[in-house]
Amino acid sequence: MATYDTTGIGTGQVQDEHIRETGELISADKVTGTSVYNSAGDNLGSIHDLMIDKRNGRVAYAVMSFGGFLGIGEKFHPLPWNVLTYDEDKGGYNIDLTSDQLRQAPSYSSDEMARFGSDNRVDTYYGGLGYPPLV
């Protein structure tokens, strides 16, 4: 599959096989693996996956992975997309939550993530912190 020049010049020339980032857009595969930092600048984990609303096509949650060793004991935090802000200097996302708030937030094992879509604990928790639900 060919893609086209993303420089904004409008040449229409084939540049590479995948458009991964433009001025305002980024591909989901490039977001995956991006670090997440707290307000103190500590690396909390990385984006494991994105959850997209099937009806409106918008990102609803970024699933942050943290902890564990070689995948054992790893937990996943679905973070509403609106709690993250991109920091160009860090090349990652900031979350304005304390460590205690994040520890109290809903998290899931790999097996439990399959049930995440039918669980409203994430929206309830972040709604209580002032973040409106996205879906």
Side-chain angles (χ1 to χ4, degrees):
M1 172 172 87
T3 58
Y4 296 92
D5 181 22
T6 59
T7 61
I9 299 170
T11 63
Q13 295 176 353
V14 174
Q15 183 180 28
D16 60 55
E17 287 300 311
H18 298 286
I19 297 174
R20 298 193 68 221
E21 188 170 358
T22 67
E24 295 296 318
L25 300 172
I26 190 167
S27 69
D29 74 326
K30 191 166 181 185
V31 173
T32 303
T34 302
S35 294
V36 177
Y37 301 92
N38 65 12
S39 55
D42 301 322
N43 187 328
L44 302 174
S46 62
I47 303 295
H48 174 74
D49 210 344
L50 298 176
M51 303 298 285
I52 299 169
D53 185 292
K54 288 181 183 180
R55 291 179 183 85
N56 69 24
R58 295 183 181 184
V59 175
Y61 302 95
V63 180
M64 182 181 73
S65 64
F66 67 99
F69 180 71
L70 298 175
I72 299 170
E74 186 173 36
K75 296 294 265 182
F76 299 93
H77 264 283
L79 303 169
W81 189 247
N82 59 345
V83 305
L84 297 166
T85 55
Y86 188 72
D87 185 319
E88 290 185 25
D89 293 333
K90 292 179 187 166
Y93 292 91
N94 289 324
I95 185 168
D96 191 25
L97 297 176
T98 66
S99 295
D100 286 340
Q101 288 173 315
L102 200 53
R103 270 194 285 281
Q104 293 170 14
S107 64
Y108 303 84
S109 69
S110 180
D111 292 337
E112 294 169 327
M113 276 305 295
R115 294 189 303 273
F116 166 65
S118 61
D119 183 351
N120 67 357
R121 292 184 305 149
V122 174
D123 289 337
T124 300
Y125 180 78
Y126 287 101
L129 296 177
Y131 295 99
L134 296 176
V135 290

